[in-house]
Amino acid sequence: MENTLLSEIVLATVFSLIVLVGILGNTIVCIVIMRKRFRIQFTHGKTAMDYLLVNLAVSDILSAVFVIPRYIVIHAYRHPRDLPGDILCRVVTGGSLIWVGGAASVFTLLVIAVDRYHAVVQPHSLRHRIALKRIPCVVISCWITSLVLCIPLFFVMTYDKKQDFCTESWPDTLLPKAYGIVWLLYGGLPIPIMGYFYFKIIQVLWFERQAVIKTQQQAKSSMVLLTRRKACKLSITVTVAYSICWLPILVLYILATITPPRIEYGSPEYKISVAMACLNSSVNPFVYALQSQRFRRCVKGLLRCQQQMS
């Protein structure tokens, strides 16, 4: 009993730190990219990449926010039971919206990879590039797809009195297995696809273009190459972080349905894998800060602004 209580306290503390950093960090990302009155802007005018990064930050904030009722304050109040408890589980405390944010993240990362691929490998093919006018359609498609993927969770989440925790209650044992496979395909299949795109990008930016730059000796071409390399490094790092953080939960979700009670839904191992997935929301702002000097300068400008206002 004491070990269980201690593990719950440790997990709640870890989740609290992850959520705090994730919400603050991604909020700063949104402000830095979208704020127009900065003297030092993140980019010279808004680009499709800017809005995709904002969409990624919003999805990370959504996941972080709904971790709070699911894993941090769940034992700080008495959860309603019966029908009210089931409704609350499906909407708030069950964590369904955490998965919606995760689905939106992988959708956005795949779109970023596709856009970078066409920008670098096929720069003259503008038909496949994501123009600013296409961004609303891309963002809307992202969130519709994410909600549709997570619709089953809004119907199967119920409150378990014994565990004092929201769990999935499927009408048939095959359904959670099938749903786990769907999620593994949705969240895992884009990883090798993005890996292929970035492999081709690296080939072009770091190997094939070197001879051209050296013979032409054009400063402008060299600057464009450097800018694209930085954007590529940023995208690759964010994608690698996603892969490391999300693969454990995608695998354990299936194992929890295939091999209970060895790996139970809501067990400490399962919660740790969820913490890793949530960690991805907190990592991205640090990736931007490490990869982009312009981003660091904008954050400093934001902090100076706040100090002057106070």
Side-chain angles (χ1 to χ4, degrees), residues 1-6:
M1 181 69 179
E2 291 181 359
N3 291 335
T4 303
L5 180 60
L6 181 61

Side-chain angles (χ1 to χ4, degrees), residues 84 216 228 240 295 301:
Q216 293 179 347
R228 288 181 175 177
V240 170
F295 180 79

Side-chain angles (χ1 to χ4, degrees), residues 63-220:
S63 295
V65 166
F66 283 93
V67 163
I68 298 173
R70 175 67 165 170
Y71 294 104
I72 298 177
V73 299
I74 186 66
H75 299 299
Y77 61 94
R78 186 173 181 178
H79 198 285
R81 302 187 176 189
D82 301 323
L83 182 59
D86 292 343
I87 294 174
L88 191 63
C89 279
R90 292 167 186 174
V91 179
V92 180
T93 56
S96 300
L97 290 172
I98 298 175
W99 289 89
V100 173
S105 293
V106 67
F107 188 102
T108 307
L109 288 172
L110 184 58
V111 171
I112 290 174
V114 172
D115 184 64
R116 292 295 87 201
Y117 172 81
H118 288 295
V120 174
V121 180
Q122 300 176 346
H124 301 296
S125 179
L126 299 178
R127 183 180 60 181
H128 297 98
R129 292 295 308 279
I130 301 177
L132 279 175
K133 63 181 181 180
R134 294 182 181 177
I135 285 295
C137 293
V138 172
V139 172
I140 292 172
S141 299
C142 168
W143 290 101
I144 290 177
T145 302
S146 302
L147 285 170
V148 169
L149 180 66
C150 297
I151 277 178
L153 296 176
F154 291 98
F155 289 96
V156 300
M157 278 292 176
T158 57
Y159 178 71
D160 190 315
K161 298 177 183 179
K162 293 182 180 179
Q163 297 187 45
D164 190 24
F165 197 72
C166 297
T167 61
E168 296 178 13
S169 179
W170 295 85
D172 187 275
T173 56
L174 290 177
L175 292 178
K177 297 179 178 64
Y179 189 62
I181 293 173
V182 170
W183 251 103
L184 183 62
L185 291 174
Y186 180 89
L189 191 59
I191 294 175
I193 295 175
M194 290 186 287
Y196 169 78
F197 284 145
Y198 286 125
F199 173 75
K200 300 299 290 186
I201 290 171
I202 289 170
Q203 274 189 321
V204 172
L205 290 183
W206 272 268
F207 299 101
E208 295 179 7
R209 294 288 177 88
Q210 283 295 334
V212 177
I213 296 298
K214 288 180 180 178
T215 55
Q216 293 179 347
Q217 292 295 318
Q218 294 179 352
K220 184 177 179 181

